[in-house]
Amino acid sequence: MAMRQTPLTCSGHTRPVVDLAFSGITPYGYFLISACKDGKPMLRQGDTGDWIGTFLGHKGAVWGATLNTDATKAATAAADFTAKVWDAVSGDEVLSLAHKHIVKSVNFTQDSNCLLTGGNDKLLRIYDLSKPDAAPQEIAGHSSAIKKSLWCNNDSQILSAAEDKTVRLWDSRSMEEVKTLTFDTSVSSMEYLADGEILVITYGKTIAFYNALSLDLIKTVEAPAPINSASLHPEKDFFVAGGDDFKLYKFDYSTKEELESYKGHFGPVHCVRFSPDGELYASGSEDGTLRLWQTAVGKTYGLWKCVLPGPGNREL
Amino acid sequence: MATPVPVLRLPKGPDPNSRGFDPNSPRFIALCRTSIPTSAAAESDPQQLQEEQHARSVLRERFLRCLLAMSNKKVRFHMHEKVNVEATFGASDIDVLNFQVSDLHTPIGVQKEALIRSQDVISFTFDV
């Protein structure tokens, strides 16, 4: 019996959801943080989408949000020229890091000791969270606003994507540029998979996969519509993408075949990410909602409950 | 005809009355270190702990009584960027994020009703 995907809608935000991130798997499950133009990032239980809390304090649109691996800390980047670090258990603001312009991206190192920020002032900044009053290390080089910055290669390197149509790889110790990729148009999103060292980049209608260490191209896949974000499944068998036509697309990574497309959002999809166990993926949209989608449609997981086949099908 | 995957319920949405982070959740109870600096330290002297907790209780009680005493009184707020305004104090919200005031005197006129963000306030004074 064919099953149709039932996305789970997480409401609560009042403006477009522009970024989302999952934590790692913790003894309490895994968690999801969403960045929203309403200035109020939210923490949710990752497998159900249940709201846990809202981080209150930013005075402008929140453009980026992230969690550390064990979901004890959160960081957000906002249009109020600050990046903030939060206690993700109590919801309290722990640190507010002033910047000279809109901050777009935040990323913790694996040990949660350092925070990388990037934004419209074109600088990458590295903050030592154990010395919050110390000035951050700054890396200059991009000629336009930075959209996304993240740690890679065991936190020894940094990847950044900017409006100057480049993606650059930096050595985090020497702070020097190691390699640059140039595109015809600015990159819309970037995802890094430490396991396998794969970088997923989207631009135009293309989803491109690169080796994160060498920045050599592995493959590109064309989607039917302009794509704003894509995510590769942890087992590297599928990837999902969403963009301006409001749909979510699922592709086979090896064959590049488009397997499925799902309607549901009422606006462009801005971000999409697989959960750390690969069982679901979350999408954030201009319509102000997050939606959770099953990787294996019909499987019992989280709030989804499969119907057992056979005669005398019981109502659940 | 494909049937939609059944769901147990919809994801729970935000509570309109609070910012969440339920202190009774197992995760909070297990992970939230006490906010008392002395007790958060590795070895804590029970005497020092008690003194600190007592001091914190006294300060907290004083603050809450202050908020109660301010009700309907004229209060002067000293804020960032050398902003000083006077208003009649109404109430604070539970997380002390906003103060509800009336007749807020600003350089560009009197605001009948307003909310002042507490993080913008450096200090406030009033006559008891």
Side-chain angles (χ1 to χ4, degrees):
Chain A
M1 175 178 56
M3 301 295 303
R4 192 154 48 89
Q5 168 90 264
T6 307
L8 292 167
T9 303
C10 306
S11 56
H13 283 306
T14 53
R15 301 259 350 259
V17 176
V18 291
D19 193 24
L20 65 90
F22 280 100
S23 69
I25 297 173
T26 82
Y28 305 92
Y30 58 87
F31 300 85
L32 168 59
I33 188 172
S34 50
C36 182
K37 287 189 183 179
D38 62 12
K40 302 190 180 110
M42 291 185 179
L43 184 71
R44 294 174 191 272
Q45 192 70 43
D47 62 336
T48 58
D50 288 339
W51 174 81
I52 293 175
T54 304
F55 298 102
L56 298 174
H58 273 302
K59 297 181 195 175
V62 176
W63 287 100
T66 190
L67 290 166
N68 66 350
T69 316
D70 61 5
T72 51
K73 290 191 200 171
T76 51
D80 61 6
F81 294 13
T82 70
K84 288 183 192 285
V85 179
W86 312 78
D87 179 321
V89 183
S90 67
D92 294 333
E93 183 184 314
V94 166
L95 219 50
S96 187
L97 305 164
H99 288 62
K100 304 235 163 56
H101 212 306
I102 296 170
V103 194
K104 285 283 182 79
S105 180
V106 271
N107 195 238
F108 286 106
T109 46
Q110 283 162 18
D111 61 7
S112 313
N113 279 342
C114 290
L115 186 73
L116 172 67
T117 69
N120 289 14
D121 64 1
K122 311 173 201 167
L123 295 173
L124 291 161
R125 285 197 173 82
I126 300 168
Y127 289 87
D128 178 347
L129 298 177
S130 60
K131 299 180 197 138
D133 294 326
Q137 290 182 291
E138 289 176 3
I139 302 178
H142 276 295
S143 53
S144 297
I146 293 168
K147 298 171 85 162
K148 185 87 184 178
S149 52
L150 37 87
W151 297 97
C152 63
N153 197 0
N154 238 341
D155 301 335
S156 67
Q157 292 182 314
I158 288 167
L159 276 162
S160 58
E163 305 269 9
D164 59 11
K165 304 179 191 167
T166 66
V167 167
R168 299 184 199 212
L169 180 64
W170 314 80
D171 181 295
S172 61
R173 275 151 226 156
S174 69
M175 312 224 283
E176 268 156 26
E177 200 175 303
V178 170
K179 192 161 178 183
T180 302
L181 291 174
T182 310
F183 299 86
D184 294 327
T185 174
S186 100
V187 157
S188 47
S189 81
M190 208 162 64
E191 182 195 44
Y192 167 67
L193 275 82
D195 174 22
E197 296 289 348
I198 298 178
L199 185 62
V200 184
I201 291 177
T202 59
Y203 54 91
K205 294 185 186 176
T206 311
I207 303 124
F209 301 88
Y210 286 81
N211 174 308
L213 303 172
S214 62
L215 288 195
D216 288 334
L217 179 65
I218 301 171
K219 64 175 84 176
T220 63
V221 180
E222 294 302 298
I227 295 297
N228 294 326
S229 181
S231 183
L232 179 61
H233 188 275
E235 253 122 79
K236 333 266 186 314
D237 36 17
F238 311 108
F239 66 93
V240 288
D244 288 345
D245 68 355
F246 311 179
K247 292 188 198 168
L248 266 300
Y249 291 95
K250 185 180 179 190
F251 292 84
D252 180 306
Y253 180 60
S254 331
T255 67
K256 304 206 227 177
E257 195 192 329
E258 183 192 314
L259 299 169
E260 290 276 5
S261 67
Y262 301 111
K263 289 195 219 181
H265 276 298
F266 296 102
V269 175
H270 289 306
C271 44
V272 64
R273 282 291 181 268
F274 267 106
S275 61
D277 62 2
E279 296 283 355
L280 59 81
Y281 44 101
S283 58
S285 164
E286 184 78 8
D287 67 11
T289 67
L290 282 113
R291 270 165 223 256
L292 302 181
W293 310 80
Q294 285 192 290
T295 303
V297 178
K299 186 173 175 181
T300 294
Y301 182 85
L303 298 175
W304 293 285
K305 181 91 176 174
C306 82
V307 178
L308 296 168
N313 240 343
R314 298 283 217 91
E315 186 90 288
L316 286 151
Chain B
M1 185 72 192
T3 36
V5 178
V7 290
L8 294 170
R9 57 169 174 82
L10 294 178
K12 293 179 197 155
D15 173 0
N17 299 319
S18 100
R19 67 182 177 115
F21 299 101
D22 180 13
N24 297 317
S25 73
R27 190 171 92 111
F28 191 106
I29 292 166
L31 297 179
C32 244
R33 284 182 326 166
T34 171
S35 53
I36 304 173
T38 310
S39 53
E43 330 106 43
S44 37
D45 168 23
Q47 169 69 1
Q48 238 191 325
L49 208 64
Q50 221 179 354
E51 275 170 14
E52 189 174 318
Q53 177 60 339
H54 178 74
R56 288 170 76 89
S57 312
V58 166
L59 288 169
R60 178 68 175 171
E61 187 177 339
R62 214 184 276 181
F63 175 69
L64 291 172
R65 288 192 187 283
C66 173
L67 288 180
L68 280 172
M70 267 164 54
S71 175
N72 294 324
K73 294 230 170 54
K74 282 207 170 40
V75 177
R76 277 172 301 286
F77 292 93
H78 307 289
M79 302 170 77
H80 290 283
E81 302 290 341
K82 299 197 174 70
V83 171
N84 292 308
V85 290
E86 190 181 272
T88 304
F89 188 80
S92 164
D93 63 2
I94 188 92
D95 289 315
V96 196
L97 287 171
N98 299 291
F99 297 130
Q100 178 256 316
V101 298
S102 320
D103 287 329
L104 175 68
H105 290 256
T106 78
I108 53 164
V110 178
Q111 194 68 29
K112 278 201 91 104
E113 302 291 338
L115 272 184
I116 295 182
R117 263 193 306 235
S118 61
Q119 64 190 117
D120 294 342
V121 178
I122 298 172
S123 67
F124 53 80
T125 58
F126 67 102
D127 295 322
V128 170

